[in-house]
Amino acid sequence: MLIRHPSDILPSEITPPEVYRERRRFMQGVVALAAGAVLGAAGDAAAGPRLPGVRASAYRLDEERTPYKDVTTYNNFYEFGTGKGDPAQNAGSLRTQSWTVAVEGEVRRPATWDIDTLLKLAPLEERVYRLRCVEGWSMVIPWVGFPLRELIRRAEPTGKAKYVEFVTLHDPAQMPGQRTRLLDWPYVEGLRLDEAMHPLTLLAVGLYGEVLPKQNGAPVRLVVPWKYGFKSAKSIARIRFVEKPPLTAWMKAAPREYGFYSNVNPHVDHPRWSQAKERRIGEFFKRDTLMFNGYGDQVAQLYRGMDLKRFF
Ligand code: MTE
């Protein structure tokens, strides 16, 4: 992100092709076995508590899923350090029990949801989405959650609600990175209301059929698959409906480098590097980055008439 050059992944982090092919065969077998209505075991060493009653969904990809181990050990979560392995090492101090999410601002029904009630707000489904980081790497992850719009509808936004702000927990005692001045904490991200209401926008509470690991943003995070990964705020404590575009943590830190929209766009370079290609974690060669991360058919109409070089 701000501090590091796009990760040219260490040779030791790249899965050799023979291991990769073996995994592929293994995963194909697992997919065949798990073809029931309710999802079976993730098959790739998922180890945490399972989420009950997760439904399969139509959101699948004909692409290899990134192994569970990579999804949970190669992370960006600056509250727990800037190294890719730091969140997995350090996020143990995050307390996810008794978590609440406050829904506030321009809504007729403000509420504070405790996490157990939130989990039951709508049926949980598995959705396999790409996540493309601005640093130039990407993954394919089977998330578990429900569309954010389910929560938004219950909050009943007023006519003044034009944007939605997502605020990560602010507690330096639990989040050692917040004792540094790396960012102006807490981490804040934002979406336009129609982006937040889009059916693809997911409030995720799990991955690979299990409760979200802390390093991936437990107990609840956003997943906005057509935007760079940093828009997908982790460990959300507040969701606020506002009239003006929220000033996000990355816009504050580096306004020339990170705009509000942050749509995956191979035609708009980051000021310090190209965004034309990406490296899928586990693959050797880079692949072309797709406009809107491949979700253009679903989301391009949200930006009709906008100059996406200006609104980057
Ligand atoms: N949310 C918070 N609170 N803090 C962060 O540092 N990093 C973002 C995003 N959400 C971040 C965050 C970035 S840059 C990316 S790429 C994704 O989380 C990474 O999600 P993952 O680690 O689950 O793959």
Side-chain angles (χ1 to χ4, degrees), residues 72-73 75-96 171-180 182 213-217 235:
T72 56
T73 57
N75 299 105
N76 275 338
F77 199 172
Y78 278 17
E79 285 84 341
F80 296 103
T82 56
K84 293 288 176 263
D86 291 347
Q89 288 283 322
N90 303 330
S93 53
L94 181 65
R95 291 193 304 272
T96 56
D171 184 355
Q174 293 183 57
M175 297 178 145
Q178 290 181 342
R179 293 176 223 149
T180 72
L182 209 55
K214 292 179 179 178
Q215 59 270 33
N216 293 92
S235 304

PDB file of all heavy atoms in Angstrom, residues 72-73 75-96 171-180 182 213-217 235:
ATOM      1  N   THR A  72      -5.235 -17.107   4.701  1.00  0.00           N
ATOM      2  CA  THR A  72      -5.190 -16.765   6.128  1.00  0.00           C
ATOM      3  C   THR A  72      -3.787 -16.445   6.654  1.00  0.00           C
ATOM      4  O   THR A  72      -3.635 -16.182   7.846  1.00  0.00           O
ATOM      5  CB  THR A  72      -5.792 -17.915   6.963  1.00  0.00           C
ATOM      6  OG1 THR A  72      -5.076 -19.124   6.642  1.00  0.00           O
ATOM      7  CG2 THR A  72      -7.257 -18.111   6.652  1.00  0.00           C
ATOM      8  N   THR A  73      -2.799 -16.471   5.761  1.00  0.00           N
ATOM      9  CA  THR A  73      -1.446 -16.120   6.238  1.00  0.00           C
ATOM     10  C   THR A  73      -0.779 -15.043   5.383  1.00  0.00           C
ATOM     11  O   THR A  73       0.333 -14.629   5.670  1.00  0.00           O
ATOM     12  CB  THR A  73      -0.513 -17.356   6.255  1.00  0.00           C
ATOM     13  OG1 THR A  73      -0.477 -17.910   4.941  1.00  0.00           O
ATOM     14  CG2 THR A  73      -0.966 -18.386   7.261  1.00  0.00           C
ATOM     15  N   ASN A  75      -1.810 -11.543   4.435  1.00  0.00           N
ATOM     16  CA  ASN A  75      -2.880 -10.578   4.683  1.00  0.00           C
ATOM     17  C   ASN A  75      -2.396  -9.140   4.775  1.00  0.00           C
ATOM     18  O   ASN A  75      -1.240  -8.883   5.120  1.00  0.00           O
ATOM     19  CB  ASN A  75      -3.582 -10.910   6.015  1.00  0.00           C
ATOM     20  CG  ASN A  75      -4.213 -12.279   5.997  1.00  0.00           C
ATOM     21  OD1 ASN A  75      -3.698 -13.216   6.593  1.00  0.00           O
ATOM     22  ND2 ASN A  75      -5.312 -12.415   5.305  1.00  0.00           N
ATOM     23  N   ASN A  76      -3.305  -8.246   4.506  1.00  0.00           N
ATOM     24  CA  ASN A  76      -3.122  -6.838   4.859  1.00  0.00           C
ATOM     25  C   ASN A  76      -4.104  -6.501   5.962  1.00  0.00           C
ATOM     26  O   ASN A  76      -5.324  -6.628   5.775  1.00  0.00           O
ATOM     27  CB  ASN A  76      -3.425  -5.925   3.646  1.00  0.00           C
ATOM     28  CG  ASN A  76      -2.235  -5.761   2.738  1.00  0.00           C
ATOM     29  OD1 ASN A  76      -1.095  -5.957   3.149  1.00  0.00           O
ATOM     30  ND2 ASN A  76      -2.481  -5.393   1.492  1.00  0.00           N
ATOM     31  N   PHE A  77      -3.579  -6.111   7.096  1.00  0.00           N
ATOM     32  CA  PHE A  77      -4.410  -5.682   8.232  1.00  0.00           C
ATOM     33  C   PHE A  77      -3.447  -4.894   9.116  1.00  0.00           C
ATOM     34  O   PHE A  77      -2.840  -5.438  10.035  1.00  0.00           O
ATOM     35  CB  PHE A  77      -4.983  -6.911   8.951  1.00  0.00           C
ATOM     36  CG  PHE A  77      -6.189  -6.643   9.823  1.00  0.00           C
ATOM     37  CD1 PHE A  77      -6.900  -7.709  10.392  1.00  0.00           C
ATOM     38  CD2 PHE A  77      -6.628  -5.354  10.104  1.00  0.00           C
ATOM     39  CE1 PHE A  77      -8.011  -7.502  11.189  1.00  0.00           C
ATOM     40  CE2 PHE A  77      -7.743  -5.124  10.893  1.00  0.00           C
ATOM     41  CZ  PHE A  77      -8.431  -6.214  11.433  1.00  0.00           C
ATOM     42  N   TYR A  78      -3.288  -3.609   8.750  1.00  0.00           N
ATOM     43  CA  TYR A  78      -2.216  -2.803   9.340  1.00  0.00           C
ATOM     44  C   TYR A  78      -2.369  -2.600  10.848  1.00  0.00           C
ATOM     45  O   TYR A  78      -1.407  -2.247  11.520  1.00  0.00           O
ATOM     46  CB  TYR A  78      -2.125  -1.460   8.606  1.00  0.00           C
ATOM     47  CG  TYR A  78      -1.329  -1.535   7.313  1.00  0.00           C
ATOM     48  CD1 TYR A  78      -1.053  -2.758   6.691  1.00  0.00           C
ATOM     49  CD2 TYR A  78      -0.833  -0.381   6.723  1.00  0.00           C
ATOM     50  CE1 TYR A  78      -0.328  -2.818   5.527  1.00  0.00           C
ATOM     51  CE2 TYR A  78      -0.090  -0.439   5.547  1.00  0.00           C
ATOM     52  CZ  TYR A  78       0.162  -1.662   4.950  1.00  0.00           C
ATOM     53  OH  TYR A  78       0.897  -1.723   3.795  1.00  0.00           O
ATOM     54  N   GLU A  79      -3.557  -2.867  11.371  1.00  0.00           N
ATOM     55  CA  GLU A  79      -3.733  -2.793  12.823  1.00  0.00           C
ATOM     56  C   GLU A  79      -2.871  -3.846  13.523  1.00  0.00           C
ATOM     57  O   GLU A  79      -2.630  -3.782  14.723  1.00  0.00           O
ATOM     58  CB  GLU A  79      -5.206  -3.041  13.180  1.00  0.00           C
ATOM     59  CG  GLU A  79      -6.146  -1.875  12.891  1.00  0.00           C
ATOM     60  CD  GLU A  79      -6.643  -1.809  11.452  1.00  0.00           C
ATOM     61  OE1 GLU A  79      -6.027  -2.429  10.563  1.00  0.00           O
ATOM     62  OE2 GLU A  79      -7.652  -1.130  11.223  1.00  0.00           O
ATOM     63  N   PHE A  80      -2.396  -4.841  12.740  1.00  0.00           N
ATOM     64  CA  PHE A  80      -1.588  -5.914  13.326  1.00  0.00           C
ATOM     65  C   PHE A  80      -0.214  -6.017  12.688  1.00  0.00           C
ATOM     66  O   PHE A  80       0.451  -7.056  12.790  1.00  0.00           O
ATOM     67  CB  PHE A  80      -2.346  -7.247  13.235  1.00  0.00           C
ATOM     68  CG  PHE A  80      -3.608  -7.224  14.034  1.00  0.00           C
ATOM     69  CD1 PHE A  80      -4.832  -7.079  13.411  1.00  0.00           C
ATOM     70  CD2 PHE A  80      -3.564  -7.298  15.422  1.00  0.00           C
ATOM     71  CE1 PHE A  80      -5.995  -7.015  14.155  1.00  0.00           C
ATOM     72  CE2 PHE A  80      -4.719  -7.236  16.178  1.00  0.00           C
ATOM     73  CZ  PHE A  80      -5.954  -7.097  15.544  1.00  0.00           C
ATOM     74  N   GLY A  81       0.215  -4.955  12.015  1.00  0.00           N
ATOM     75  CA  GLY A  81       1.547  -4.945  11.413  1.00  0.00           C
ATOM     76  C   GLY A  81       1.474  -4.828   9.901  1.00  0.00           C
ATOM     77  O   GLY A  81       0.426  -5.083   9.299  1.00  0.00           O
ATOM     78  N   THR A  82       2.589  -4.457   9.299  1.00  0.00           N
ATOM     79  CA  THR A  82       2.595  -4.194   7.852  1.00  0.00           C
ATOM     80  C   THR A  82       3.110  -5.387   7.034  1.00  0.00           C
ATOM     81  O   THR A  82       2.965  -5.401   5.821  1.00  0.00           O
ATOM     82  CB  THR A  82       3.468  -2.966   7.526  1.00  0.00           C
ATOM     83  OG1 THR A  82       4.771  -3.207   8.047  1.00  0.00           O
ATOM     84  CG2 THR A  82       2.892  -1.700   8.113  1.00  0.00           C
ATOM     85  N   GLY A  83       3.712  -6.370   7.695  1.00  0.00           N
ATOM     86  CA  GLY A  83       4.181  -7.558   6.971  1.00  0.00           C
ATOM     87  C   GLY A  83       2.997  -8.459   6.630  1.00  0.00           C
ATOM     88  O   GLY A  83       2.025  -8.504   7.382  1.00  0.00           O
ATOM     89  N   LYS A  84       3.113  -9.183   5.533  1.00  0.00           N
ATOM     90  CA  LYS A  84       1.988 -10.030   5.109  1.00  0.00           C
ATOM     91  C   LYS A  84       1.683 -11.119   6.139  1.00  0.00           C
ATOM     92  O   LYS A  84       0.538 -11.563   6.262  1.00  0.00           O
ATOM     93  CB  LYS A  84       2.295 -10.681   3.756  1.00  0.00           C
ATOM     94  CG  LYS A  84       2.376  -9.685   2.620  1.00  0.00           C
ATOM     95  CD  LYS A  84       1.005  -9.149   2.251  1.00  0.00           C
ATOM     96  CE  LYS A  84       1.102  -8.084   1.166  1.00  0.00           C
ATOM     97  NZ  LYS A  84       1.092  -6.706   1.691  1.00  0.00           N
ATOM     98  N   GLY A  85       2.703 -11.579   6.875  1.00  0.00           N
ATOM     99  CA  GLY A  85       2.478 -12.624   7.870  1.00  0.00           C
ATOM    100  C   GLY A  85       2.112 -12.059   9.241  1.00  0.00           C
ATOM    101  O   GLY A  85       1.721 -12.820  10.137  1.00  0.00           O
ATOM    102  N   ASP A  86       2.227 -10.740   9.419  1.00  0.00           N
ATOM    103  CA  ASP A  86       1.989 -10.149  10.750  1.00  0.00           C
ATOM    104  C   ASP A  86       0.567 -10.368  11.281  1.00  0.00           C
ATOM    105  O   ASP A  86       0.404 -10.721  12.448  1.00  0.00           O
ATOM    106  CB  ASP A  86       2.290  -8.641  10.733  1.00  0.00           C
ATOM    107  CG  ASP A  86       3.775  -8.356  10.580  1.00  0.00           C
ATOM    108  OD1 ASP A  86       4.578  -9.296  10.729  1.00  0.00           O
ATOM    109  OD2 ASP A  86       4.134  -7.190  10.303  1.00  0.00           O
ATOM    110  N   PRO A  87      -0.471 -10.140  10.452  1.00  0.00           N
ATOM    111  CA  PRO A  87      -1.826 -10.312  11.015  1.00  0.00           C
ATOM    112  C   PRO A  87      -2.057 -11.726  11.559  1.00  0.00           C
ATOM    113  O   PRO A  87      -2.609 -11.889  12.652  1.00  0.00           O
ATOM    114  CB  PRO A  87      -2.742  -9.993   9.829  1.00  0.00           C
ATOM    115  CG  PRO A  87      -1.928  -9.058   8.980  1.00  0.00           C
ATOM    116  CD  PRO A  87      -0.517  -9.564   9.087  1.00  0.00           C
ATOM    117  N   ALA A  88      -1.609 -12.748  10.831  1.00  0.00           N
ATOM    118  CA  ALA A  88      -1.805 -14.120  11.327  1.00  0.00           C
ATOM    119  C   ALA A  88      -1.043 -14.319  12.639  1.00  0.00           C
ATOM    120  O   ALA A  88      -1.500 -15.029  13.534  1.00  0.00           O
ATOM    121  CB  ALA A  88      -1.359 -15.131  10.277  1.00  0.00           C
ATOM    122  N   GLN A  89       0.098 -13.677  12.757  1.00  0.00           N
ATOM    123  CA  GLN A  89       0.909 -13.806  13.972  1.00  0.00           C
ATOM    124  C   GLN A  89       0.298 -13.039  15.144  1.00  0.00           C
ATOM    125  O   GLN A  89       0.334 -13.495  16.275  1.00  0.00           O
ATOM    126  CB  GLN A  89       2.307 -13.180  13.724  1.00  0.00           C
ATOM    127  CG  GLN A  89       3.205 -13.985  12.818  1.00  0.00           C
ATOM    128  CD  GLN A  89       3.798 -15.169  13.546  1.00  0.00           C
ATOM    129  OE1 GLN A  89       4.142 -15.068  14.718  1.00  0.00           O
ATOM    130  NE2 GLN A  89       3.878 -16.308  12.884  1.00  0.00           N
ATOM    131  N   ASN A  90      -0.218 -11.840  14.866  1.00  0.00           N
ATOM    132  CA  ASN A  90      -0.525 -10.895  15.949  1.00  0.00           C
ATOM    133  C   ASN A  90      -1.996 -10.696  16.271  1.00  0.00           C
ATOM    134  O   ASN A  90      -2.325 -10.059  17.268  1.00  0.00           O
ATOM    135  CB  ASN A  90       0.065  -9.510  15.609  1.00  0.00           C
ATOM    136  CG  ASN A  90       1.564  -9.569  15.360  1.00  0.00           C
ATOM    137  OD1 ASN A  90       2.243 -10.427  15.937  1.00  0.00           O
ATOM    138  ND2 ASN A  90       2.076  -8.700  14.505  1.00  0.00           N
ATOM    139  N   ALA A  91      -2.887 -11.178  15.387  1.00  0.00           N
ATOM    140  CA  ALA A  91      -4.306 -10.825  15.577  1.00  0.00           C
ATOM    141  C   ALA A  91      -4.970 -11.579  16.726  1.00  0.00           C
ATOM    142  O   ALA A  91      -6.136 -11.320  17.036  1.00  0.00           O
ATOM    143  CB  ALA A  91      -5.087 -11.033  14.284  1.00  0.00           C
ATOM    144  N   GLY A  92      -4.225 -12.463  17.377  1.00  0.00           N
ATOM    145  CA  GLY A  92      -4.786 -13.190  18.531  1.00  0.00           C
ATOM    146  C   GLY A  92      -5.284 -12.259  19.617  1.00  0.00           C
ATOM    147  O   GLY A  92      -6.190 -12.612  20.380  1.00  0.00           O
ATOM    148  N   SER A  93      -4.741 -11.048  19.693  1.00  0.00           N
ATOM    149  CA  SER A  93      -5.155 -10.123  20.760  1.00  0.00           C
ATOM    150  C   SER A  93      -6.527  -9.484  20.496  1.00  0.00           C
ATOM    151  O   SER A  93      -7.082  -8.821  21.357  1.00  0.00           O
ATOM    152  CB  SER A  93      -4.105  -9.015  20.928  1.00  0.00           C
ATOM    153  OG  SER A  93      -3.853  -8.399  19.673  1.00  0.00           O
ATOM    154  N   LEU A  94      -7.071  -9.693  19.297  1.00  0.00           N
ATOM    155  CA  LEU A  94      -8.388  -9.117  18.996  1.00  0.00           C
ATOM    156  C   LEU A  94      -9.475  -9.936  19.699  1.00  0.00           C
ATOM    157  O   LEU A  94      -9.500 -11.161  19.597  1.00  0.00           O
ATOM    158  CB  LEU A  94      -8.609  -9.166  17.474  1.00  0.00           C
ATOM    159  CG  LEU A  94      -9.933  -8.592  16.947  1.00  0.00           C
ATOM    160  CD1 LEU A  94     -10.019  -7.100  17.193  1.00  0.00           C
ATOM    161  CD2 LEU A  94     -10.073  -8.878  15.447  1.00  0.00           C
ATOM    162  N   ARG A  95     -10.354  -9.240  20.431  1.00  0.00           N
ATOM    163  CA  ARG A  95     -11.437  -9.942  21.137  1.00  0.00           C
ATOM    164  C   ARG A  95     -12.726  -9.817  20.323  1.00  0.00           C
ATOM    165  O   ARG A  95     -13.278  -8.720  20.189  1.00  0.00           O
ATOM    166  CB  ARG A  95     -11.652  -9.338  22.533  1.00  0.00           C
ATOM    167  CG  ARG A  95     -10.492  -9.619  23.485  1.00  0.00           C
ATOM    168  CD  ARG A  95     -10.879  -9.293  24.923  1.00  0.00           C
ATOM    169  NE  ARG A  95     -11.339  -7.918  25.095  1.00  0.00           N
ATOM    170  CZ  ARG A  95     -10.542  -6.889  25.345  1.00  0.00           C
ATOM    171  NH1 ARG A  95      -9.235  -7.050  25.458  1.00  0.00           N
ATOM    172  NH2 ARG A  95     -11.048  -5.678  25.481  1.00  0.00           N
ATOM    173  N   THR A  96     -13.173 -10.918  19.771  1.00  0.00           N
ATOM    174  CA  THR A  96     -14.327 -10.860  18.877  1.00  0.00           C
ATOM    175  C   THR A  96     -15.629 -11.251  19.565  1.00  0.00           C
ATOM    176  O   THR A  96     -16.693 -11.135  18.978  1.00  0.00           O
ATOM    177  CB  THR A  96     -14.095 -11.758  17.641  1.00  0.00           C
ATOM    178  OG1 THR A  96     -13.806 -13.079  18.101  1.00  0.00           O
ATOM    179  CG2 THR A  96     -12.936 -11.271  16.806  1.00  0.00           C
ATOM    180  N   ASP A 171      -9.143   0.369  19.062  1.00  0.00           N
ATOM    181  CA  ASP A 171      -8.725  -0.040  20.400  1.00  0.00           C
ATOM    182  C   ASP A 171      -7.248  -0.456  20.366  1.00  0.00           C
ATOM    183  O   ASP A 171      -6.923  -1.625  20.112  1.00  0.00           O
ATOM    184  CB  ASP A 171      -9.601  -1.195  20.899  1.00  0.00           C
ATOM    185  CG  ASP A 171      -9.259  -1.574  22.341  1.00  0.00           C
ATOM    186  OD1 ASP A 171      -8.283  -1.004  22.885  1.00  0.00           O
ATOM    187  OD2 ASP A 171      -9.954  -2.431  22.913  1.00  0.00           O
ATOM    188  N   PRO A 172      -6.379   0.527  20.608  1.00  0.00           N
ATOM    189  CA  PRO A 172      -4.939   0.221  20.539  1.00  0.00           C
ATOM    190  C   PRO A 172      -4.506  -0.890  21.485  1.00  0.00           C
ATOM    191  O   PRO A 172      -3.488  -1.547  21.232  1.00  0.00           O
ATOM    192  CB  PRO A 172      -4.271   1.551  20.921  1.00  0.00           C
ATOM    193  CG  PRO A 172      -5.320   2.590  20.668  1.00  0.00           C
ATOM    194  CD  PRO A 172      -6.641   1.933  20.913  1.00  0.00           C
ATOM    195  N   ALA A 173      -5.293  -1.149  22.542  1.00  0.00           N
ATOM    196  CA  ALA A 173      -4.911  -2.236  23.459  1.00  0.00           C
ATOM    197  C   ALA A 173      -5.020  -3.588  22.748  1.00  0.00           C
ATOM    198  O   ALA A 173      -4.217  -4.487  22.984  1.00  0.00           O
ATOM    199  CB  ALA A 173      -5.804  -2.214  24.703  1.00  0.00           C
ATOM    200  N   GLN A 174      -6.006  -3.707  21.861  1.00  0.00           N
ATOM    201  CA  GLN A 174      -6.184  -4.968  21.128  1.00  0.00           C
ATOM    202  C   GLN A 174      -5.461  -4.965  19.794  1.00  0.00           C
ATOM    203  O   GLN A 174      -5.157  -6.026  19.252  1.00  0.00           O
ATOM    204  CB  GLN A 174      -7.672  -5.194  20.835  1.00  0.00           C
ATOM    205  CG  GLN A 174      -8.531  -5.437  22.036  1.00  0.00           C
ATOM    206  CD  GLN A 174      -9.968  -5.723  21.611  1.00  0.00           C
ATOM    207  OE1 GLN A 174     -10.232  -6.625  20.848  1.00  0.00           O
ATOM    208  NE2 GLN A 174     -10.894  -4.913  22.096  1.00  0.00           N
ATOM    209  N   MET A 175      -5.247  -3.768  19.255  1.00  0.00           N
ATOM    210  CA  MET A 175      -4.687  -3.652  17.908  1.00  0.00           C
ATOM    211  C   MET A 175      -3.363  -2.892  17.969  1.00  0.00           C
ATOM    212  O   MET A 175      -3.350  -1.644  17.909  1.00  0.00           O
ATOM    213  CB  MET A 175      -5.693  -2.945  16.998  1.00  0.00           C
ATOM    214  CG  MET A 175      -6.990  -3.723  16.830  1.00  0.00           C
ATOM    215  SD  MET A 175      -8.190  -2.840  15.802  1.00  0.00           S
ATOM    216  CE  MET A 175      -8.985  -4.177  14.932  1.00  0.00           C
ATOM    217  N   PRO A 176      -2.255  -3.605  18.109  1.00  0.00           N
ATOM    218  CA  PRO A 176      -0.975  -2.927  18.356  1.00  0.00           C
ATOM    219  C   PRO A 176      -0.589  -1.924  17.271  1.00  0.00           C
ATOM    220  O   PRO A 176       0.050  -0.909  17.573  1.00  0.00           O
ATOM    221  CB  PRO A 176       0.029  -4.077  18.423  1.00  0.00           C
ATOM    222  CG  PRO A 176      -0.679  -5.304  17.941  1.00  0.00           C
ATOM    223  CD  PRO A 176      -2.141  -5.059  18.103  1.00  0.00           C
ATOM    224  N   GLY A 177      -1.004  -2.159  16.026  1.00  0.00           N
ATOM    225  CA  GLY A 177      -0.669  -1.218  14.947  1.00  0.00           C
ATOM    226  C   GLY A 177      -1.251   0.162  15.193  1.00  0.00           C
ATOM    227  O   GLY A 177      -0.725   1.172  14.698  1.00  0.00           O
ATOM    228  N   GLN A 178      -2.347   0.211  15.965  1.00  0.00           N
ATOM    229  CA  GLN A 178      -2.975   1.506  16.250  1.00  0.00           C
ATOM    230  C   GLN A 178      -2.170   2.322  17.266  1.00  0.00           C
ATOM    231  O   GLN A 178      -2.522   3.470  17.539  1.00  0.00           O
ATOM    232  CB  GLN A 178      -4.412   1.297  16.735  1.00  0.00           C
ATOM    233  CG  GLN A 178      -5.340   0.799  15.634  1.00  0.00           C
ATOM    234  CD  GLN A 178      -6.773   0.609  16.096  1.00  0.00           C
ATOM    235  OE1 GLN A 178      -7.055   0.531  17.293  1.00  0.00           O
ATOM    236  NE2 GLN A 178      -7.684   0.498  15.136  1.00  0.00           N
ATOM    237  N   ARG A 179      -1.111   1.717  17.800  1.00  0.00           N
ATOM    238  CA  ARG A 179      -0.217   2.500  18.676  1.00  0.00           C
ATOM    239  C   ARG A 179       0.825   3.228  17.846  1.00  0.00           C
ATOM    240  O   ARG A 179       1.658   3.951  18.380  1.00  0.00           O
ATOM    241  CB  ARG A 179       0.446   1.580  19.702  1.00  0.00           C
ATOM    242  CG  ARG A 179      -0.548   1.010  20.701  1.00  0.00           C
ATOM    243  CD  ARG A 179       0.131   0.014  21.645  1.00  0.00           C
ATOM    244  NE  ARG A 179      -0.705  -1.167  21.830  1.00  0.00           N
ATOM    245  CZ  ARG A 179      -0.263  -2.397  22.055  1.00  0.00           C
ATOM    246  NH1 ARG A 179       1.036  -2.630  22.144  1.00  0.00           N
ATOM    247  NH2 ARG A 179      -1.099  -3.393  22.209  1.00  0.00           N
ATOM    248  N   THR A 180       0.845   3.002  16.546  1.00  0.00           N
ATOM    249  CA  THR A 180       1.766   3.702  15.640  1.00  0.00           C
ATOM    250  C   THR A 180       0.985   4.783  14.889  1.00  0.00           C
ATOM    251  O   THR A 180      -0.238   4.826  14.941  1.00  0.00           O
ATOM    252  CB  THR A 180       2.355   2.745  14.591  1.00  0.00           C
ATOM    253  OG1 THR A 180       1.317   2.411  13.642  1.00  0.00           O
ATOM    254  CG2 THR A 180       2.885   1.465  15.228  1.00  0.00           C
ATOM    255  N   LEU A 182       1.029   5.056  11.639  1.00  0.00           N
ATOM    256  CA  LEU A 182       0.987   4.581  10.257  1.00  0.00           C
ATOM    257  C   LEU A 182      -0.197   5.154   9.484  1.00  0.00           C
ATOM    258  O   LEU A 182      -0.077   5.610   8.358  1.00  0.00           O
ATOM    259  CB  LEU A 182       0.852   3.057  10.334  1.00  0.00           C
ATOM    260  CG  LEU A 182       1.418   2.224   9.235  1.00  0.00           C
ATOM    261  CD1 LEU A 182       2.881   2.534   9.020  1.00  0.00           C
ATOM    262  CD2 LEU A 182       1.254   0.750   9.624  1.00  0.00           C
ATOM    263  N   PRO A 213     -11.450 -15.912  10.239  1.00  0.00           N
ATOM    264  CA  PRO A 213     -10.266 -15.809  11.095  1.00  0.00           C
ATOM    265  C   PRO A 213      -9.982 -14.334  11.434  1.00  0.00           C
ATOM    266  O   PRO A 213     -10.307 -13.444  10.640  1.00  0.00           O
ATOM    267  CB  PRO A 213      -9.151 -16.391  10.218  1.00  0.00           C
ATOM    268  CG  PRO A 213      -9.845 -17.234   9.201  1.00  0.00           C
ATOM    269  CD  PRO A 213     -11.152 -16.544   8.945  1.00  0.00           C
ATOM    270  N   LYS A 214      -9.383 -14.122  12.582  1.00  0.00           N
ATOM    271  CA  LYS A 214      -9.158 -12.734  13.025  1.00  0.00           C
ATOM    272  C   LYS A 214      -8.359 -11.943  12.010  1.00  0.00           C
ATOM    273  O   LYS A 214      -8.650 -10.782  11.737  1.00  0.00           O
ATOM    274  CB  LYS A 214      -8.465 -12.743  14.387  1.00  0.00           C
ATOM    275  CG  LYS A 214      -9.365 -13.278  15.495  1.00  0.00           C
ATOM    276  CD  LYS A 214      -8.667 -13.306  16.839  1.00  0.00           C
ATOM    277  CE  LYS A 214      -9.642 -13.821  17.894  1.00  0.00           C
ATOM    278  NZ  LYS A 214      -9.009 -13.923  19.224  1.00  0.00           N
ATOM    279  N   GLN A 215      -7.348 -12.565  11.418  1.00  0.00           N
ATOM    280  CA  GLN A 215      -6.490 -11.842  10.469  1.00  0.00           C
ATOM    281  C   GLN A 215      -7.230 -11.431   9.199  1.00  0.00           C
ATOM    282  O   GLN A 215      -6.777 -10.567   8.459  1.00  0.00           O
ATOM    283  CB  GLN A 215      -5.233 -12.660  10.121  1.00  0.00           C
ATOM    284  CG  GLN A 215      -5.486 -14.013   9.497  1.00  0.00           C
ATOM    285  CD  GLN A 215      -5.618 -15.123  10.525  1.00  0.00           C
ATOM    286  OE1 GLN A 215      -6.106 -14.910  11.631  1.00  0.00           O
ATOM    287  NE2 GLN A 215      -5.168 -16.323  10.180  1.00  0.00           N
ATOM    288  N   ASN A 216      -8.378 -12.064   8.951  1.00  0.00           N
ATOM    289  CA  ASN A 216      -9.180 -11.707   7.776  1.00  0.00           C
ATOM    290  C   ASN A 216     -10.306 -10.734   8.107  1.00  0.00           C
ATOM    291  O   ASN A 216     -11.151 -10.453   7.258  1.00  0.00           O
ATOM    292  CB  ASN A 216      -9.740 -12.960   7.102  1.00  0.00           C
ATOM    293  CG  ASN A 216      -8.649 -13.805   6.481  1.00  0.00           C
ATOM    294  OD1 ASN A 216      -8.122 -14.702   7.129  1.00  0.00           O
ATOM    295  ND2 ASN A 216      -8.258 -13.499   5.259  1.00  0.00           N
ATOM    296  N   GLY A 217     -10.309 -10.238   9.355  1.00  0.00           N
ATOM    297  CA  GLY A 217     -11.264  -9.178   9.681  1.00  0.00           C
ATOM    298  C   GLY A 217     -12.437  -9.592  10.536  1.00  0.00           C
ATOM    299  O   GLY A 217     -13.524  -9.015  10.428  1.00  0.00           O
ATOM    300  N   SER A 235     -13.103  -5.985  10.483  1.00  0.00           N
ATOM    301  CA  SER A 235     -13.458  -5.828  11.906  1.00  0.00           C
ATOM    302  C   SER A 235     -14.258  -4.538  12.132  1.00  0.00           C
ATOM    303  O   SER A 235     -13.848  -3.645  12.881  1.00  0.00           O
ATOM    304  CB  SER A 235     -12.196  -5.854  12.771  1.00  0.00           C
ATOM    305  OG  SER A 235     -11.472  -7.043  12.535  1.00  0.00           O
TER     306      SER A 235
END
